[in-house]
Amino acid sequence: QRCYTVKDLQTILGVSRGTVYQLMKRKEFRWFQIGNGRYRISRKSLDEWLDKIHELVKAVAPSNPGE
C-alpha cells in the first residue's frame, strides 16, 4: 500500500480525524486530494515523518529514565 487514507492515519497514530487534518494543514507529510474531500497520504512521507518525530523524542528524552 503506497498511500494511506485519513482513517488509516487515525488508526496508525491513535489520533482524531481533526488531528490528522491539522497535521495535513501543517504539511507534516505529503498528501493529495482525489476529489470530493477524499485525501491520500504518502506512506513514504509518513514513514519519514515518524522517523523524524522518533529522533526528536530521543533527543529530548533522558537516556536513563528513573535516575
Side-chain angles (χ1 to χ4, degrees), residues 1-5 8-9 30 32 40-47:
Q1 181 177 356
R2 295 182 65 151
C3 294
Y4 293 118
T5 64
D8 291 335
L9 262 65
R30 289 186 306 277
F32 55 94
R40 294 296 179 265
I41 297 93
S42 158
R43 178 182 178 167
K44 182 179 177 188
S45 71
L46 177 66
D47 289 345

Side-chain angles (χ1 to χ4, degrees), residues 8 11 26 53 58 60 63-64 66:
D8 291 335
T11 302
R26 292 193 331 232
I53 296 299
K58 279 182 17 181
V60 298
S63 57
N64 292 320

Side-chain angles (χ1 to χ4, degrees), residues 22-35:
Q22 287 175 359
L23 292 168
M24 291 168 60
K25 185 176 181 178
R26 292 193 331 232
K27 299 182 181 179
E28 296 291 343
F29 28 73
R30 289 186 306 277
W31 57 271
F32 55 94
Q33 188 171 0
I34 59 172

Side-chain angles (χ1 to χ4, degrees), residues 8-23:
D8 291 335
L9 262 65
Q10 286 180 251
T11 302
I12 292 166
L13 300 176
V15 298
S16 70
R17 182 174 159 198
T19 299
V20 173
Y21 284 116
Q22 287 175 359
L23 292 168

